[in-house]
Structure formats: C-alpha cells, structure tokens
Amino acid sequence: AVVSTQSMGEETFVAFSKFGDTKSTGKELDNKKFSKLCKETGIMGKLVTSTDVDIIFSKYKPKGGRTITVKEFGVILDELSAKRFPKKSAEDAKVAMRDLITGKAPGTKGTTKVSKKGATERLTDKTKYTGTHKERFDADGKGKGIEGREDVIEDDGYVVGYTNKGTYDEDHNKE
C-alpha cells in the first residue's frame, strides 16, 4: 500500500507548528517543535534518540533555514520509520509511523504548577489574613471582587466596623 505523506499526519504537523505561536501559519515546523512532536507521539524512545531527531532534522532542513515544511516532514518520517520499526518491512514501517502520529495534538504535560511549599503556602492562606486584607474575602475564602476593595459607606449612624449594630433596643428596653 502506497502511503501519502501529505494527508496522514499533516493535521499533526499543523497542530504542533501552531502550538505556542499565535503568528504561526502552520506551514513550517522548527526543530524545537519537531522534537516535541517526536517525544509526544512516541517516535522518540529507545530506538530513536533526541540526537537522531536533531541530526535528521538538520539533514533535511534547507541550508541556512531553521524550519521544515510538510514535504520535508514526510521524508523525515519515512527515514525515521526504518529506525523506529526495524523488524518491519519498509512499507509497513511507514504505515506504522503514520498511524503513530495521526490525530495527535501537542500537550502541556510537565508544565509549571503552582508552588505550595514554604513561604508561598503561608502567604497565600486566606485564613491567616488580618485587617483590611481579611475584608476582601468571604467566609469560604473566595474573593469578594470590587466589593472587597472599595469602602461602601453605610449611613446607619454606626461607626465602620461596629459589630453590635441593632442591639441597643434589646439591651435598653427591658421594662
């Protein structure tokens, strides 16, 4: 079976070329994104190392260029397929390689997570806030938004922060 390098895996190529770059057209892939593609689709492993991927990328990129196109991507995959699937025939290896990358999209595995160690945990714990900072959060620890940042003046005759509002009548009318 003859495999078309353009149709199978082209959507993967476009997805990885546009990943993290809002200005990308999806027609070119640089070495960093090609390495990410190889890692996340399973091309890179025991048989195909990051060095192999870098060397083959440099071999097929245009002289003086930094990116490859879909056409060069297909040729690179064909060459890597023999190394990735050494026990299969050349055609079976190409099909297996296309199956490996088809429909894959870039992920954000291993990205930076919010630190909760040492001082960070202590400083971001809303239950320990005091004074005006405490007023910015409700009982559940959720922020109040603008209500928690602006002073809303109540015209009820009591000073701001007085906790026993409305208890005067209860205390003084005991006849």
Side-chain angles (χ1 to χ4, degrees), residues 28-31 57-68 72:
E28 294 181 326
L29 192 67
D30 64 9
N31 194 12
F57 183 88
S58 296
K59 182 178 173 182
Y60 286 100
K61 74 174 175 62
K63 235 184 188 8
R66 298 180 53 181
T67 58
I68 58 170
E72 293 147 351

Side-chain angles (χ1 to χ4, degrees), residues 11 13 17 33 60 63 77-79 83 97 138-140 151 165 169:
E11 66 279 353
F13 177 90
S17 70
K33 291 177 185 172
Y60 286 100
K63 235 184 188 8
L77 288 183
D78 291 344
E79 191 167 321
K83 192 161 185 148
M97 182 65 88
D138 62 13
D140 299 330
D151 288 334
K165 288 182 184 177
D169 291 338

Side-chain angles (χ1 to χ4, degrees), residues 8 23 29 37 42 47 50 76 82 88 103 105 137 139 157 168 174:
M8 293 180 77
K23 295 176 185 150
L29 192 67
L37 182 147
L47 298 172
S50 61
I76 289 173
K88 294 186 177 189
F137 300 94
Y168 181 83
K174 294 179 186 173

